[in-house]
Amino acid sequence: MKLQYYPGCTLYTKAKPLNTSLHACFNAVGIELAELPHWYCCGTTFTLARDNRMSLIAPLRILAKAQQEDGKVLVPCSICYNTLKRANYMLNEDRETLDILNEHLEESYDGNEIVLHPLEFFRDNEELVRSKVKKSLKDLKVGCYYGCLLLRPQQEIQFDDPEAPTIFENFISSVGATPIDFPLKVECCGSYLVVTSPDAALESSYKLLRNAQGNGVNAVVTSCPLCYYNLDALQEKMTKAHPDFKQIPVFYFSQILALALGAEEKNLGLEQNKVSPYTILKEYDLL
Amino acid sequence: MNKILADKDLTRRIEEISDQKLSDCYQCGRCTAGCPFAEFMDVPPNQVIRFMQLGLKEDLLKTQGPWFCAACLVCQARCPRGVDIPRLMEAVRTIHLRAKEGLIDVPEIDKEFLLDAPPLALISAFSKFTY
Ligand code: SF4
Ligand code: SF4
């Protein structure tokens, strides 16, 4: 079986571990990820100005291209996923804009491409994943961090309950680890404010991690390379700003799954995690 | 005195860009209560909306609040009146940016950070803070 795949820019650069570990996961369950030929950037954050049609061009071209290959496309990066899904929703609601863009771009997109997140795929194929688990991660107390983009706006994304989602926790249980709930799992890490107002991003990410730790989490997982950066790379600065802060490892969901599926260590990309994951993984005998 | 002369034109532009109706907001403050970045804003989200409702152009264009909005949509999910607040915040930024104000200053970004940051952080910031 093949699944059409849109990695997005960051998975080829700073988020390589998400790309390689995800490939390892799908490989282990016998599915080939067929990368969309000649893809480009989705433009990231969906535009909120209703009179800005320019920002819809990149998503529309990606969706149109994907549709030529297959009716479904797998998108692991939360930002790409949110942007493509919101654009898709909008183009369906606003057929006039869709027609105008199609005409200018010489595309013939009809609005029907399905944008799928790997967590949705694993939810729908839970048995397949469960049957391939080789290593029990049961002592790992995982805090599932959803952030914003997988959940909101609910009407357009339809991923899970925006205030009390469970898809991530179910995923973590199905790979044999222990999900731990923490209230700030649906709150913002600071997103792109890390570029323009780094203090705001630092403080919000810090609060999230403290909240997770306070609830007993010893590893945080995410699917967003930007959340990942804010939660992982900023920890050094958090320690400076808050000397009592104890660093905590952050993983991509696919790194955790790949571990459980017994993937080769070289595909996990763990050496790129800024906060070392090795101590905890060795402590629980997972490496 | 000036302040009382409401700027209807500005109100209309905000409504157009955001596709929101400002009269929908009944100023309960729930958006501000849940906003993770309200503490960084000189004027919090519900008050920014109040400026819009009253057409207080000077106050609205002076506030730094909208620049701290991360478009996290927590407020949008919780507003009892269905107001899409981040669209209103974007409308304010859009008005500034289209007048070439508030553009991101790339040379000001820390070099080490530029090399370290993931592309989507930079592209997101560039797309939010340019026009
Ligand atoms: S939550 Fe909604 S109604 Fe209440 S102040 Fe904010 S925008 Fe207005
Ligand atoms: S979308 Fe903006 S205003 Fe609303 S809660 Fe998030 S940061 Fe605050």
Side-chain angles (χ1 to χ4, degrees):
Chain A
M1 187 184 161
K2 268 191 191 174
L3 258 181
Q4 176 166 229
Y5 179 55
Y6 173 81
C9 310
T10 305
L11 271 73
Y12 264 78
T13 51
K14 298 288 181 180
K16 276 187 194 146
L18 175 52
N19 195 29
T20 54
S21 59
L22 195 69
H23 274 278
C25 296
F26 277 96
N27 215 349
V29 298
I31 292 169
E32 187 193 330
L33 294 182
E35 194 166 315
L36 182 66
H38 311 299
W39 54 266
Y40 16 73
C41 175
C42 70
T44 71
T45 53
F46 182 72
T47 179
L48 299 176
R50 287 308 288 260
D51 61 351
N52 178 355
R53 283 176 172 150
M54 284 292 280
S55 301
L56 294 166
I57 291 177
L60 180 130
R61 293 180 74 193
I62 293 163
L63 293 165
K65 203 168 227 337
Q67 191 172 45
Q68 285 168 11
E69 309 284 327
D70 189 10
K72 239 192 299 191
V73 58
L74 190 78
V75 182
C77 163
S78 302
I79 296 197
C80 301
Y81 173 80
N82 183 283
T83 302
L84 293 175
K85 255 190 123 156
R86 291 200 74 176
N88 216 11
Y89 183 91
M90 219 214 111
L91 294 168
N92 271 289
E93 291 278 291
D94 180 358
R95 304 304 283 200
E96 189 194 329
T97 297
L98 177 61
D99 291 344
I100 292 171
L101 293 179
N102 270 334
E103 198 175 310
H104 281 279
L105 297 171
E106 298 179 359
E107 302 281 4
S108 55
Y109 182 56
D110 64 7
N112 288 328
E113 181 71 2
I114 294 171
V115 178
L116 190 70
H117 193 274
L119 287 172
E120 292 173 304
F121 179 85
F122 294 134
R123 174 197 60 204
D124 300 340
N125 296 274
E126 198 187 323
E127 270 320 301
L128 178 68
V129 177
R130 216 186 265 278
S131 69
K132 303 280 188 210
V133 170
K134 295 212 170 86
K135 218 182 258 175
S136 168
L137 311 182
K138 72 178 183 337
D139 294 325
L140 207 56
K141 297 192 183 60
V142 178
C144 299
Y145 176 62
Y146 292 81
C148 310
L149 298 168
L150 290 179
L151 300 173
R152 297 184 287 270
Q154 153 76 352
Q155 196 193 355
E156 299 175 34
I157 304 294
Q158 303 274 342
F159 182 79
D160 205 342
D161 181 323
E163 296 286 354
T166 51
I167 179 172
F168 222 143
E169 282 81 359
N170 293 339
F171 165 79
I172 286 299
S173 303
S174 71
V175 308
T178 311
I180 304 280
D181 201 23
F182 64 106
L184 296 189
K185 69 183 184 180
V186 300
E187 298 253 337
C188 182
C189 69
S191 184
Y192 52 78
L193 292 181
V194 69
V195 184
T196 50
S197 314
D199 290 349
L202 185 81
E203 282 311 303
S204 52
S205 294
Y206 168 73
K207 268 191 214 147
L208 295 178
L209 294 175
R210 278 313 271 256
N211 185 247
Q213 287 173 320
N215 283 278
V217 169
N218 56 23
V220 173
V221 291
T222 175
S223 87
C224 175
L226 182 44
C227 300
Y228 186 90
Y229 180 81
N230 287 346
L231 295 178
D232 177 59
L234 298 186
Q235 286 195 37
E236 209 184 303
K237 287 193 180 129
M238 289 176 202
T239 317
K240 281 189 193 127
H242 306 277
D244 61 332
F245 174 66
K246 268 189 69 205
Q247 300 199 356
I248 174 170
V250 183
F251 296 90
Y252 287 114
F253 69 98
S254 50
Q255 289 179 307
I256 294 291
L257 177 59
L259 259 176
L261 298 175
E264 279 182 77
E265 199 183 319
K266 71 170 178 11
N267 294 324
L268 298 181
L270 294 170
E271 69 288 346
Q272 293 193 40
N273 296 31
K274 291 255 164 56
V275 176
S276 169
Y278 296 109
T279 318
I280 186 165
L281 294 179
K282 289 202 175 114
E283 190 183 324
Y284 293 133
D285 217 12
L286 298 173
L287 271 186
Chain B
M1 257 329 259
N2 254 349
K3 287 196 163 188
I4 299 168
L5 296 174
D7 191 320
K8 289 257 166 48
D9 202 42
L10 181 74
T11 304
R12 219 194 57 236
R13 268 180 82 200
I14 301 249
E15 291 197 326
E16 256 170 32
I17 297 174
S18 64
D19 197 22
Q20 300 300 301
K21 249 177 78 201
L22 288 166
S23 56
D24 281 349
C25 164
Y26 57 21
Q27 286 293 318
C28 67
R30 196 160 170 193
C31 46
T32 296
C35 174
F37 306 103
E39 61 179 295
F40 293 92
M41 300 176 177
D42 54 352
V43 176
N46 73 304
Q47 278 184 40
V48 173
I49 298 171
R50 194 70 185 136
F51 288 168
M52 293 173 180
Q53 290 173 325
L54 297 175
L56 299 180
K57 184 172 180 171
E58 265 175 49
D59 296 279
L60 182 66
L61 295 181
K62 220 169 48 200
T63 163
Q64 294 301 306
W67 302 96
F68 286 92
C69 167
C72 75
L73 272 66
V74 154
C75 55
Q76 181 266 0
R78 295 176 187 168
C79 171
R81 300 283 300 145
V83 179
D84 199 333
I85 298 112
R87 284 195 184 275
L88 293 170
M89 297 293 155
E90 182 114 320
V92 181
R93 289 193 301 262
T94 300
I95 286 172
H96 282 290
L97 293 168
R98 287 181 187 166
K100 300 194 170 52
E101 293 159 11
L103 297 169
I104 191 166
D105 190 357
V106 180
E108 278 298 301
I109 303 173
D110 180 65
K111 295 286 165 306
E112 217 176 295
F113 170 76
L114 269 183
L115 291 173
D116 194 39
L120 79 180
L122 303 170
I123 305 168
S124 297
F126 295 162
S127 84
K128 279 287 172 211
F129 305 118
T130 56
Y131 64 94

